[in-house]
């Protein structure tokens, strides 16, 4: 597992990134996110839910490993003793992951940018870029509907039953970088 996958799938899924997105100025938002990442990692390792030795072994093969240490050193950060096993290994893992988040924060937060889509044609529904891409991908039949069940559940909780108009899906797709589709998918019912 690479550090990017670990941060996106293990860490960011367990801390509510959206709650930090409105913090201004940007450096305070970033510091708050890094603090939440550190707290989450420390709590999970205390409860032994993160296999520290296994993760560090994976991360040592990540091309970003040296870059993170180099960047942290350039920024005057105190680099803890490099340990892959033993008592100091958890501290090194926290440093490495927090360093990864600090170096790549803009890229990591790109998927958390808020988007608004029309639901029932008249109501708004906010979701992040990753969820929007999953929704569009499902609308065009590229992924299974199970991929968007969490989004559908949120829609039903907030709005009951209804649909997302196909024109909304097409318009949102045009705002994202990447391939633009030339046909309008069906409405997504929920």
């Amino acid at each position: 597992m690479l550090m990017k996958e670990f941060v996106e799938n293990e860490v960011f899924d367990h801390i509510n990134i959206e709650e930090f997105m409105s913090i201004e100025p940007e450096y305070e938002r970033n510091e708050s996110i890094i603090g939440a990442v550190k707290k989450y990692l420390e709590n999970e390792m205390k409860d032994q839910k993160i296999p520290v030795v296994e993760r560090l072994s994976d991360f040592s093969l990540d091309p970003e490993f040296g870059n993170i240490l180099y960047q942290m050193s350039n920024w005057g950060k105190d680099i803890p003793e490099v340990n892959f096993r033993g008592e100091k290994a958890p501290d090194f893992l926290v440093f490495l992951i927090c360093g990864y988040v600090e170096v790549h924060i803009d890229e990591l937060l790109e998927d958390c940018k808020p988007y608004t889509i029309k639901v029932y044609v008249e109501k708004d529904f906010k979701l992040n870029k990753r969820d929007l891409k999953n929704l569009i991908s499902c609308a065009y039949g590229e992924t299974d509907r199970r991929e968007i069940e969490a989004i559908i559940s949120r829609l039903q909780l907030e709005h009951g039953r209804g649909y997302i108009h196909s024109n909304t899906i097409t318009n949102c797709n045009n705002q994202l970088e990447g391939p633009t589709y030339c046909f309008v998918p069906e409405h997504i019912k929920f």
Side-chain angles (χ1 to χ4, degrees), residues 67-91:
N67 181 45
I68 299 306
L69 295 177
Y70 176 77
Q71 288 292 342
M72 294 294 99
S73 175
N74 265 358
W75 293 345
K77 303 283 181 169
D78 291 330
I79 298 176
E81 187 177 325
V82 177
N83 277 297
F84 290 90
R85 300 181 190 291
E87 290 179 16
K88 295 184 181 184
D91 293 336

Short mmCIF file of all heavy atoms in Angstrom, two decimals, residues 67-91:
data_model
loop_
_atom_site.label_atom_id
_atom_site.label_comp_id
_atom_site.label_asym_id
_atom_site.label_seq_id
_atom_site.Cartn_x
_atom_site.Cartn_y
_atom_site.Cartn_z
N ASN A 67 11.23 11.51 -0.81
CA ASN A 67 10.78 12.87 -1.06
C ASN A 67 10.21 13.50 0.21
O ASN A 67 10.47 14.67 0.50
CB ASN A 67 9.74 12.89 -2.18
CG ASN A 67 9.25 14.28 -2.49
OD1 ASN A 67 10.02 15.23 -2.59
ND2 ASN A 67 7.94 14.41 -2.63
N ILE A 68 9.44 12.73 0.96
CA ILE A 68 8.83 13.27 2.19
C ILE A 68 9.93 13.64 3.18
O ILE A 68 9.91 14.74 3.76
CB ILE A 68 7.84 12.25 2.81
CG1 ILE A 68 6.70 11.94 1.84
CG2 ILE A 68 7.31 12.75 4.16
CD1 ILE A 68 5.95 13.13 1.30
N LEU A 69 10.89 12.75 3.38
CA LEU A 69 11.99 13.04 4.32
C LEU A 69 12.78 14.27 3.84
O LEU A 69 13.15 15.14 4.64
CB LEU A 69 12.91 11.83 4.46
CG LEU A 69 12.27 10.59 5.09
CD1 LEU A 69 13.26 9.44 5.11
CD2 LEU A 69 11.76 10.88 6.49
N TYR A 70 13.03 14.34 2.55
CA TYR A 70 13.77 15.48 1.98
C TYR A 70 13.00 16.79 2.20
O TYR A 70 13.57 17.78 2.66
CB TYR A 70 14.01 15.24 0.49
CG TYR A 70 14.67 16.39 -0.22
CD1 TYR A 70 16.03 16.62 -0.09
CD2 TYR A 70 13.93 17.26 -1.01
CE1 TYR A 70 16.65 17.69 -0.72
CE2 TYR A 70 14.52 18.33 -1.65
CZ TYR A 70 15.89 18.54 -1.50
OH TYR A 70 16.48 19.60 -2.13
N GLN A 71 11.70 16.79 1.87
CA GLN A 71 10.89 18.01 2.03
C GLN A 71 10.81 18.44 3.49
O GLN A 71 10.94 19.63 3.80
CB GLN A 71 9.47 17.79 1.49
CG GLN A 71 9.38 17.70 -0.01
CD GLN A 71 9.70 19.02 -0.69
OE1 GLN A 71 9.67 20.09 -0.09
NE2 GLN A 71 10.06 18.94 -1.95
N MET A 72 10.60 17.48 4.38
CA MET A 72 10.50 17.82 5.80
C MET A 72 11.81 18.42 6.31
O MET A 72 11.83 19.37 7.08
CB MET A 72 10.11 16.59 6.63
CG MET A 72 8.71 16.05 6.35
SD MET A 72 7.38 17.17 6.84
CE MET A 72 6.96 17.93 5.29
N SER A 73 12.92 17.86 5.85
CA SER A 73 14.24 18.38 6.22
C SER A 73 14.42 19.80 5.68
O SER A 73 14.89 20.69 6.38
CB SER A 73 15.33 17.45 5.69
OG SER A 73 16.60 18.00 5.95
N ASN A 74 14.04 20.02 4.42
CA ASN A 74 14.14 21.35 3.81
C ASN A 74 13.30 22.38 4.55
O ASN A 74 13.65 23.55 4.58
CB ASN A 74 13.68 21.29 2.35
CG ASN A 74 14.82 21.11 1.39
OD1 ASN A 74 15.97 21.07 1.80
ND2 ASN A 74 14.50 20.98 0.12
N TRP A 75 12.16 21.95 5.07
CA TRP A 75 11.27 22.87 5.78
C TRP A 75 11.65 23.03 7.24
O TRP A 75 10.92 23.64 8.01
CB TRP A 75 9.83 22.41 5.64
CG TRP A 75 9.31 22.49 4.24
CD1 TRP A 75 9.86 23.17 3.19
CD2 TRP A 75 8.15 21.86 3.72
NE1 TRP A 75 9.11 23.00 2.06
CE2 TRP A 75 8.05 22.20 2.35
CE3 TRP A 75 7.19 21.03 4.26
CZ2 TRP A 75 7.02 21.75 1.53
CZ3 TRP A 75 6.17 20.58 3.45
CH2 TRP A 75 6.08 20.94 2.10
N GLY A 76 12.79 22.45 7.64
CA GLY A 76 13.28 22.61 9.01
C GLY A 76 12.54 21.79 10.05
O GLY A 76 12.60 22.09 11.23
N LYS A 77 11.85 20.76 9.63
CA LYS A 77 11.13 19.89 10.56
C LYS A 77 12.12 18.95 11.24
O LYS A 77 13.08 18.50 10.62
CB LYS A 77 10.07 19.06 9.84
CG LYS A 77 9.07 19.85 9.06
CD LYS A 77 8.04 20.47 9.94
CE LYS A 77 7.04 21.24 9.09
NZ LYS A 77 5.89 21.64 9.80
N ASP A 78 11.90 18.66 12.51
CA ASP A 78 12.73 17.69 13.22
C ASP A 78 12.31 16.29 12.80
O ASP A 78 11.17 15.88 13.06
CB ASP A 78 12.56 17.84 14.74
CG ASP A 78 13.16 19.14 15.25
OD1 ASP A 78 14.15 19.61 14.64
OD2 ASP A 78 12.64 19.69 16.23
N ILE A 79 13.20 15.59 12.15
CA ILE A 79 12.90 14.25 11.68
C ILE A 79 13.25 13.27 12.81
O ILE A 79 14.38 13.26 13.30
CB ILE A 79 13.71 13.90 10.41
CG1 ILE A 79 13.32 14.87 9.28
CG2 ILE A 79 13.48 12.46 9.99
CD1 ILE A 79 14.09 14.71 8.01
N PRO A 80 12.25 12.48 13.22
CA PRO A 80 12.54 11.52 14.29
C PRO A 80 13.48 10.43 13.76
O PRO A 80 13.67 10.27 12.56
CB PRO A 80 11.17 10.93 14.63
CG PRO A 80 10.35 11.14 13.40
CD PRO A 80 10.89 12.38 12.74
N GLU A 81 14.06 9.69 14.69
CA GLU A 81 14.92 8.58 14.31
C GLU A 81 14.13 7.61 13.43
O GLU A 81 13.00 7.26 13.74
CB GLU A 81 15.40 7.87 15.58
CG GLU A 81 16.43 6.81 15.33
CD GLU A 81 16.91 6.19 16.63
OE1 GLU A 81 17.01 6.92 17.64
OE2 GLU A 81 17.19 4.98 16.61
N VAL A 82 14.73 7.21 12.32
CA VAL A 82 14.07 6.30 11.39
C VAL A 82 14.06 4.91 12.01
O VAL A 82 15.10 4.31 12.22
CB VAL A 82 14.78 6.28 10.02
CG1 VAL A 82 14.13 5.28 9.08
CG2 VAL A 82 14.79 7.68 9.40
N ASN A 83 12.85 4.45 12.33
CA ASN A 83 12.68 3.13 12.92
C ASN A 83 11.51 2.42 12.26
O ASN A 83 10.43 2.98 12.15
CB ASN A 83 12.36 3.24 14.43
CG ASN A 83 13.60 3.38 15.26
OD1 ASN A 83 14.42 2.48 15.27
ND2 ASN A 83 13.74 4.52 15.92
N PHE A 84 11.75 1.19 11.84
CA PHE A 84 10.71 0.39 11.21
C PHE A 84 10.13 -0.63 12.18
O PHE A 84 9.12 -1.24 11.89
CB PHE A 84 11.25 -0.32 9.97
CG PHE A 84 11.54 0.63 8.85
CD1 PHE A 84 12.78 1.22 8.72
CD2 PHE A 84 10.55 0.96 7.94
CE1 PHE A 84 13.04 2.10 7.69
CE2 PHE A 84 10.80 1.85 6.91
CZ PHE A 84 12.06 2.42 6.79
N ARG A 85 10.78 -0.80 13.32
CA ARG A 85 10.33 -1.75 14.34
C ARG A 85 10.59 -1.13 15.72
O ARG A 85 11.36 -0.21 15.86
CB ARG A 85 11.10 -3.07 14.26
CG ARG A 85 10.96 -3.78 12.96
CD ARG A 85 11.73 -5.10 12.99
NE ARG A 85 11.84 -5.74 11.70
CZ ARG A 85 10.87 -6.28 11.02
NH1 ARG A 85 9.65 -6.24 11.48
NH2 ARG A 85 11.08 -6.85 9.86
N GLY A 86 9.95 -1.67 16.71
CA GLY A 86 10.23 -1.24 18.08
C GLY A 86 9.36 -0.08 18.54
O GLY A 86 8.41 0.32 17.88
N GLU A 87 9.74 0.46 19.68
CA GLU A 87 8.95 1.49 20.35
C GLU A 87 8.84 2.79 19.56
O GLU A 87 7.84 3.50 19.66
CB GLU A 87 9.57 1.82 21.72
CG GLU A 87 9.43 0.73 22.74
CD GLU A 87 10.08 1.12 24.06
OE1 GLU A 87 10.35 2.32 24.26
OE2 GLU A 87 10.32 0.22 24.86
N LYS A 88 9.87 3.13 18.81
CA LYS A 88 9.88 4.41 18.10
C LYS A 88 9.24 4.33 16.71
O LYS A 88 9.06 5.34 16.05
CB LYS A 88 11.30 4.94 18.00
CG LYS A 88 11.88 5.26 19.36
CD LYS A 88 13.24 5.86 19.26
CE LYS A 88 13.76 6.14 20.67
NZ LYS A 88 15.04 6.81 20.65
N ALA A 89 8.90 3.15 16.26
CA ALA A 89 8.29 2.98 14.93
C ALA A 89 6.97 3.75 14.80
O ALA A 89 6.75 4.39 13.77
CB ALA A 89 8.11 1.50 14.61
N PRO A 90 6.08 3.71 15.81
CA PRO A 90 4.82 4.48 15.66
C PRO A 90 5.06 5.98 15.48
O PRO A 90 4.37 6.62 14.68
CB PRO A 90 4.07 4.19 16.97
CG PRO A 90 4.60 2.86 17.40
CD PRO A 90 6.05 2.86 17.01
N ASP A 91 6.05 6.54 16.20
CA ASP A 91 6.35 7.97 16.04
C ASP A 91 6.82 8.27 14.62
O ASP A 91 6.45 9.29 14.03
CB ASP A 91 7.43 8.41 17.03
CG ASP A 91 6.96 8.35 18.47
OD1 ASP A 91 5.74 8.42 18.70
OD2 ASP A 91 7.82 8.23 19.36
#
